[in-house]
Amino acid sequence: MCELYSKQDTLALRRKHIGPSCKVFFAADPIKIVRAQGQYMFDERGEQYLDCINNVAHVGHCHPEVVTAALKQMELLNTNSRFLHDNIVEYARRLSATLPETLSVCYFTNSGSEANDLALRLARQFRGHQDVITLDHAYHGHLSSLIEISPYKFRKGKDVKKEFVHVAPTPDTYRGKYREDHADPAGAYADEVKKIIEEAHNSGRKIAAFIAESMQSCGGQIIPPAGYFQKVAEYVHRAGGVFIADEVQVGFGRVGKHFWSFQMHGEDFVPDIVTMGKPMGNGHPMACVVTTKEIAEAFSSSGMEYFNTYGGNPVSSAIGLAVLNVIESEDLQGNATRVGDYLTELLNKQKAKHTLIGDIRGIGLFIGIDLVKDQQKRTPATDEAQHVIYKMKEKQVLLSADGPHRNVLKIKPPMCFTEEDAKFMVDQLDEILTVVEEAIGAKSESVTSENTPCRTKNCFFT
């Protein structure tokens, strides 16, 4: 492998020159990745890792068709988007064809954060309203305007929530306020949004937008109950606001049966604005906001021109077109359904076997494994989850843990993930959970018999 520096030198230079808040995966023992192909990544020693983390490399790392498209266009032309060029309009046409007919106007950006920031501008310009309703534990990007509406981030800091931001409960039917045994969790969670709107109006405030990921990722792989988005959209529209569906992490066929995750909620639900990013360029920085003609015209009427130097440039658009081609030609949506169903089946068998697994939830190749200390109390198993992802790394499987308690194992691999990959991943997880549960059992017996403080390396299993 070709390296500029040894791993230790790379770590030293990172500590010296890269901001300390910029974290790496597996910080206690980071891996140095030097190349990748398909669903596999390779370290400086040539060791292969199965990538279950990278929803960015959507059609597979370094897909030859995407690489070729980038190279050919880069050799020919790349320039800013103020010049007339076929690529941007062809990509906009192809992208719009995947969406409901009313969503037909595109604004191209370079990241999901840029896209969500622009979506807020569009929403606020539409009727002159200011306030935003967001979901608890949500994350929508790293810009100041988005940290303000991202409880996943702002509650870790000292900033007080802004008065124009309203936080609704996450529609989590496993650990949330209204659970799977509730008669109508969708209606109950939607009513929480309705109450927020009423309280805002009583305070003289006006709702510009409700924003939510179609499936919450950083919040712990949360799938909203059927009917929730329809009811929320009804209340938000009645208040003069718009519904923003954030598809940055979950779009482009990841759920399998639908190209966009919001579409699994039914044909009677259509957002007013859709944002997208990460998988769009298969690792190349590109993103987009798609909205209705009415909202776009209201934005234009402000008199302020919108210009993004690199958004929709010829190279980015060529790459985006190649990604769409690969999704279709390799039937990656079908693969997400087939492999996702198989993986979910395997994981549910593990759930029946392992007391640490409290819940398996997800659709297609977007799955969460909620680890718990107690299945009845649903106590988050945070330390155990961190232990598991490090042990999985030792077995050359890359997973991450997220959610408000950092106890949900996230599975969102490249879409070329196979049934063999799924079986391998689950087999490794089974072995690790077995060892962990045996250690917990041994410790419990020891504490019961001796009633003495634990002094072993398994102390974090409490």
Side-chain angles (χ1 to χ4, degrees):
M1 302 296 176
C2 179
E3 294 182 88
L4 290 175
Y5 306 104
S6 69
K7 181 176 178 178
Q8 291 306 312
D9 286 346
T10 302
L11 280 167
L13 285 167
R14 185 179 179 96
R15 283 192 289 266
K16 181 178 181 180
H17 295 298
I18 306 299
S21 57
C22 301
K23 306 297 185 183
V24 294
F25 282 127
F26 312 108
D29 181 27
I31 54 175
K32 184 177 182 180
I33 296 298
V34 298
R35 72 179 183 93
Q37 191 70 47
Q39 63 272 49
Y40 303 106
M41 305 181 83
F42 301 85
D43 68 13
E44 79 281 7
R45 298 168 300 168
E47 294 289 336
Q48 175 180 288
Y49 294 84
L50 177 61
D51 182 5
C52 303
I53 293 175
N54 260 299
N55 58 333
V56 178
H58 193 63
V59 301
H61 291 278
C62 304
H63 193 289
E65 189 169 333
V66 178
V67 172
T68 299
L71 177 62
K72 284 185 176 180
Q73 186 57 53
M74 185 73 80
E75 289 179 330
L76 188 64
L77 169 72
N78 200 23
T79 185
N80 74 56
S81 54
R82 284 192 174 186
F83 290 99
L84 195 63
H85 196 274
D86 287 343
N87 284 9
I88 188 172
V89 294
E90 173 62 5
Y91 186 61
R93 184 188 71 81
R94 288 277 303 277
L95 193 63
S96 297
T98 68
L99 290 155
E101 188 175 355
T102 55
L103 294 166
S104 61
V105 182
C106 301
Y107 295 89
F108 291 103
T109 66
N110 307 290
S111 72
S113 291
E114 280 188 47
N116 281 331
D117 177 76
L118 178 57
L120 292 182
R121 289 178 59 191
L122 289 166
R124 285 169 169 154
Q125 176 63 31
F126 185 48
R127 289 204 172 95
H129 298 179
Q130 175 71 11
D131 289 25
V132 176
I133 302 172
T134 187
L135 293 177
D136 204 3
H137 313 308
Y139 174 67
H140 294 290
H142 61 79
L143 300 182
S144 296
S145 63
L146 304 172
I147 295 296
E148 291 174 345
I149 64 166
S150 297
Y152 178 82
K153 289 289 185 182
F154 71 54
R155 289 191 177 174
K156 293 184 179 182
K158 297 179 181 178
D159 293 336
V160 176
K161 180 175 70 67
K162 302 293 192 295
E163 62 179 359
F164 56 81
V165 177
H166 310 276
V167 180
T170 302
D172 178 0
T173 57
Y174 179 69
R175 186 174 276 106
K177 187 174 182 179
Y178 308 108
R179 300 186 175 183
E180 71 277 3
D181 58 353
H182 191 280
D184 180 19
Y189 278 117
D191 283 346
E192 295 284 339
V193 176
K194 184 180 180 182
K195 290 175 191 173
I196 287 172
I197 293 171
E198 290 170 350
E199 289 169 4
H201 285 177
N202 290 338
S203 300
R205 308 199 66 84
K206 295 181 178 180
I207 303 298
F210 172 91
I211 184 169
E213 289 182 280
S214 301
M215 300 186 294
Q216 201 174 52
S217 182
C218 291
Q221 312 293 88
I222 305 300
I223 316 298
Y228 171 70
F229 279 169
Q230 283 92 332
K231 291 178 180 178
V232 168
E234 177 187 340
Y235 300 148
V236 171
H237 288 154
R238 196 183 299 165
V242 302
F243 193 112
I244 302 171
D246 181 342
E247 293 267 342
V248 170
Q249 297 223 48
V250 297
F252 290 89
R254 179 157 294 278
V255 295
K257 293 180 181 178
H258 303 283
F259 200 84
W260 302 104
S261 294
F262 73 79
Q263 291 171 321
M264 69 185 182
H265 296 280
E267 293 183 3
D268 59 335
F269 170 67
V270 179
D272 304 291
I273 301 172
V274 177
T275 60
M276 54 196 74
K278 294 184 191 298
M280 194 172 181
N282 208 53
H284 178 84
M286 62 183 302
C288 187
V289 180
V290 185
T291 190
T292 65
K293 185 176 180 181
E294 183 184 12
I295 291 173
E297 287 178 348
F299 188 58
S300 178
S301 70
S302 69
M304 182 186 294
E305 178 185 358
Y306 176 74
F307 171 58
N308 189 310
T309 304
Y310 299 111
N313 68 73
V315 170
S316 293
S317 297
I319 289 170
L321 285 165
V323 170
L324 292 180
N325 290 340
V326 173
I327 292 172
E328 183 177 350
S329 66
E330 298 186 6
D331 188 28
L332 293 184
Q333 273 186 257
N335 188 65
T337 297
R338 290 186 296 273
V339 178
D341 287 350
Y342 176 66
L343 177 54
T344 300
E345 179 185 345
L346 293 179
L347 289 172
N348 277 318
K349 289 179 180 177
Q350 294 300 310
K351 179 177 181 291
K353 178 180 179 181
H354 294 289
T355 57
L356 270 171
I357 299 179
D359 191 34
I360 302 294
R361 52 182 177 264
I363 300 173
L365 287 174
F366 182 86
I367 299 170
I369 306 171
D370 199 312
L371 298 186
V372 297
K373 295 175 184 288
D374 184 300
Q375 289 195 347
Q376 294 301 315
K377 296 178 181 178
R378 304 184 180 186
T379 312
T382 301
D383 291 337
E384 291 84 346
Q386 298 306 310
H387 178 78
V388 167
I389 63 172
Y390 273 89
K391 287 298 180 182
M392 289 291 279
K393 178 176 75 76
E394 290 178 9
K395 291 179 175 290
Q396 295 171 296
V397 177
L398 304 181
L399 280 175
S400 62
D402 218 328
H405 306 287
R406 300 286 183 183
N407 69 305
V408 181
L409 305 182
K410 297 172 67 173
I411 304 172
K412 48 188 181 68
M415 296 273 281
C416 51
F417 204 71
T418 67
E419 290 187 357
E420 291 75 21
D421 296 325
K423 180 70 164 56
F424 177 75
M425 188 215 81
V426 173
D427 285 347
Q428 309 316 304
L429 182 63
D430 180 23
E431 290 182 16
I432 291 167
L433 290 178
T434 298
V435 172
V436 171
E437 288 171 350
E438 287 174 354
I440 294 171
K443 181 194 167 187
S444 297
E445 290 176 9
S446 174
V447 169
T448 301
S449 61
E450 299 177 20
N451 196 27
T452 56
C454 174
R455 300 183 184 278
T456 72
K457 65 180 179 181
N458 290 318
C459 280
F460 55 85
F461 296 131
T462 58

